[in-house]
Amino acid sequence: MQIATMAKSPLRQMQYPTDLDAFRESRGGHLGGTMHCARYLGPRVLWDSSTGEFISEEGVAMTGLEHLEPEFRLVLQHAGEALGTPVHIDGVLIPVQQGNPHFRIYDIFTPEGSAPVTLWQEINLLADMFARIDSSTIYTRPVQYFHTASMNSDTRITRWLKTWTTRPGCGGVFFKDMEFVYTPNAMANGACVALSKRK
């Protein structure tokens, strides 16, 4: 049995509150003005571009993901050109029946001391980037974010979530303010995850 090795990187994944009612109430009782994306059922992975480590939710250095590194370096290059600073990547592994697992980027974030990147900036940056590098990436794509309708009733939200979380591979929905900034080693501010009953 392989012994788990803790990552040398100090970075750990941002955690998300799961109380959607409290999140909604903090926004005046609705979800308007947020963006949402699927919470995929695969394992979350954080990539520290400074050490090259892939880090699990438990803070363990992951192996067997070397196929992702060239594509992550491409993201790093293009994001660095646009932002003037390196970025790190947080996302999820998507298992496939044959071959290496794919990866969906939830967020990119800058090192401590650099100008932060808001969700809105991330979405635009990644969309523009992958319009140019899509033909060079086999495994890596950003998740697709959508504008969230206001949904100010419990009934509407319940029905909407049931529709979303019955999609194959979806274990819930992330909701994030447009000005949300990913902060490692912290609980998210301005974001929430609604979990499905499936694990």
Side-chain angles (χ1 to χ4, degrees), residues 89-103:
I89 299 172
D90 182 36
V92 60
L93 283 177
I94 307 293
V96 295
Q97 288 186 340
Q98 293 183 340
N100 295 317
H102 288 217
F103 188 87

Side-chain angles (χ1 to χ4, degrees), residues 6-14 46 48-51 53 55 59 88 109 112 183-186:
M6 294 303 291
K8 297 175 183 176
S9 167
L11 298 179
R12 297 294 181 267
Q13 294 161 347
M14 172 175 268
L46 185 150
D48 182 340
S49 63
S50 63
T51 65
E53 288 180 300
I55 306 167
H88 309 298
F109 61 99
E112 186 177 2
T183 308
N185 309 340

Side-chain angles (χ1 to χ4, degrees), residues 1-59:
M1 177 182 291
Q2 184 177 0
I3 299 175
T5 303
M6 294 303 291
K8 297 175 183 176
S9 167
L11 298 179
R12 297 294 181 267
Q13 294 161 347
M14 172 175 268
Q15 301 303 306
Y16 291 87
T18 57
D19 189 339
L20 184 60
D21 290 336
F23 179 68
R24 200 179 94 205
E25 288 307 311
S26 72
R27 304 183 50 77
H30 62 84
L31 292 170
T34 67
M35 304 292 288
H36 65 272
C37 73
R39 173 188 174 268
Y40 291 102
L41 290 172
R44 273 181 68 193
V45 178
L46 185 150
W47 184 63
D48 182 340
S49 63
S50 63
T51 65
E53 288 180 300
F54 298 92
I55 306 167
S56 73
E57 289 189 82
E58 295 75 29

Side-chain angles (χ1 to χ4, degrees), residues 72-148:
F72 282 17
R73 293 286 174 193
L74 197 56
V75 172
L76 177 64
Q77 174 191 335
H78 283 262
E81 290 172 358
L83 300 172
T85 181
V87 296
H88 309 298
I89 299 172
D90 182 36
V92 60
L93 283 177
I94 307 293
V96 295
Q97 288 186 340
Q98 293 183 340
N100 295 317
H102 288 217
F103 188 87
R104 295 295 174 264
I105 300 171
Y106 283 140
D107 289 286
I108 58 173
F109 61 99
T110 55
E112 186 177 2
S114 301
V117 181
T118 65
L119 178 67
W120 192 237
Q121 288 175 300
E122 282 187 60
I123 292 171
N124 288 323
L125 175 63
L126 289 169
D128 179 65
M129 179 191 306
F130 276 87
R132 289 178 283 128
I133 70 171
D134 185 73
S135 61
S136 302
T137 56
I138 300 171
Y139 306 104
T140 309
R141 298 285 186 280
V143 298
Q144 189 171 3
Y145 281 93
F146 304 90
H147 289 276
T148 311

